[in-house]
Amino acid sequence: MTAYVIKGNDKNPVQAVKELFSKLLENQVDYIFLPGKSPYSKLPMPMLISDTAHMENLEPLAPAAPFNSAKQAASVLKSNTNKKIAFLLKPCEKRALVELVKLSQCSIENALIITADCLGRMENSTYLGLIEDAPGLIEAFLQDKSFQDKITSSCSVCTQFTDSGSDIHVNLIGCSGSAVFVPQTENGEAVFKKFECDRADIPTARENEVEQITKKHTENMETLSDNVLSKTKDVEKFQELIATCLNCYNCRTACPVCYCKECVFLTDIFNHMPETLLNRADKKGIIKLPTDTTMFHMTRLAHMSHACVGCGHCSSVCPSNIPVADIFKIVSKNTQDFFGYIPGENTDEKIPYLNYKKEN
């Protein structure tokens, strides 16, 4: 497998990624899409850039993300503009984008998709608190285990922190502080034929380090599974776990693969008339408001568990601190294992709900 490093930045992965995107914007693509900070906040947000003068604002490997940016990527790919756009996405963001392609929400025909090894993300407040005192946090995070221990629960159980389906993947794990670029498609290989860079070998240490992280995250997943199953073993337990749900629908909004233009929970079906609420109160003597919180979460699980990419943003945005992502992690694993389906692995694999046939 051919691999490359950027000359002069072989020991600074952040600068190497910036240089790659700068070179792409100079002569290969019309726009680039990757995380950057604004003048108003150090929290990295998706940036759509057409001018290399703004490259200093980019934070391409920041261990933070205010949301899964697949929906933002899809928003600039939902119609054909005949413009070439290069994207830097976390593996879970790329997988979510592929699911949106399958749902006809966008097309990646004119996109160059670049992913990078992901060691996890911190919650926004954690990241902002740390970066105030550690301006070099991003580079330090890639090397310092004490920073890596501060990632979210969802990231600590993720076993898909690398990617094999993008045009180019950036190897960081086991690369001794450098970024090794690995083209995975013809489009990816063509990139490195158009500017000067050095061929590289993939370090032998990489495979072992990936295996060690996978083992650790798998063990964390087993612990999480036991914990969640003990709290959701019946409907009563499940209702207890989500008892503080406000029906704010933040989890639905944050979900990168929850794509419906009109959600059933925002229709008249669940917009109950006063008489309905009063009749329920008469029948039971007491009812909790808002109603239908259990139905909402059950419906989301039934609707989206096959496509969950485990980004964990549903938990991050919950004002009641309900472990929504933990529940989804366990249910979606069971759903995906049943269908033998890995969401977002490639665009050719059909959605199982549309393709599944029960064996006789």
Side-chain angles (χ1 to χ4, degrees), residues 183-194:
Q184 301 183 127
T185 66
E186 290 182 4
N187 286 338
E189 187 66 51
V191 165
F192 295 95
K193 293 179 179 178
K194 296 182 179 179

Side-chain angles (χ1 to χ4, degrees), residues 125-146:
S125 57
T126 302
Y127 177 82
L128 289 173
L130 288 171
I131 204 166
E132 284 295 331
D133 300 321
L137 173 63
I138 298 173
E139 290 85 350
F141 176 81
L142 297 174
Q143 304 295 325
D144 192 331
K145 299 293 184 184
S146 66

Side-chain angles (χ1 to χ4, degrees), residues 18 25 32 34-37 47-59:
K18 282 186 178 183
L25 189 55
I32 58 175
L34 64 169
K37 59 186 178 182
M47 300 286 178
L48 185 62
I49 300 173
S50 62
D51 188 342
T52 55
H54 298 283
M55 298 300 291
E56 72 277 3
N57 295 323
L58 300 183
E59 301 286 15

Side-chain angles (χ1 to χ4, degrees), residues 137-202:
L137 173 63
I138 298 173
E139 290 85 350
F141 176 81
L142 297 174
Q143 304 295 325
D144 192 331
K145 299 293 184 184
S146 66
F147 285 127
Q148 294 170 19
D149 288 340
K150 300 182 185 298
I151 61 175
T152 67
S153 170
S154 293
C155 294
S156 72
V157 300
C158 176
T159 56
Q160 294 176 295
F161 48 86
T162 65
D163 188 83
S164 60
S166 54
D167 293 304
I168 300 170
H169 185 70
V170 187
N171 287 0
L172 301 170
I173 298 170
C175 294
S176 302
S178 63
V180 178
F181 299 93
V182 182
Q184 301 183 127
T185 66
E186 290 182 4
N187 286 338
E189 187 66 51
V191 165
F192 295 95
K193 293 179 179 178
K194 296 182 179 179
F195 63 85
E196 189 176 0
C197 53
D198 291 330
R199 287 179 176 258
D201 295 321
I202 298 175

Side-chain angles (χ1 to χ4, degrees), residues 278-296:
L278 297 178
N279 287 338
R280 288 185 183 182
D282 286 339
K283 184 176 180 179
K284 295 186 176 182
I286 185 173
I287 59 170
K288 177 183 75 69
L289 300 176
T291 61
D292 306 312
T293 51
T294 301
M295 180 66 74
F296 168 71

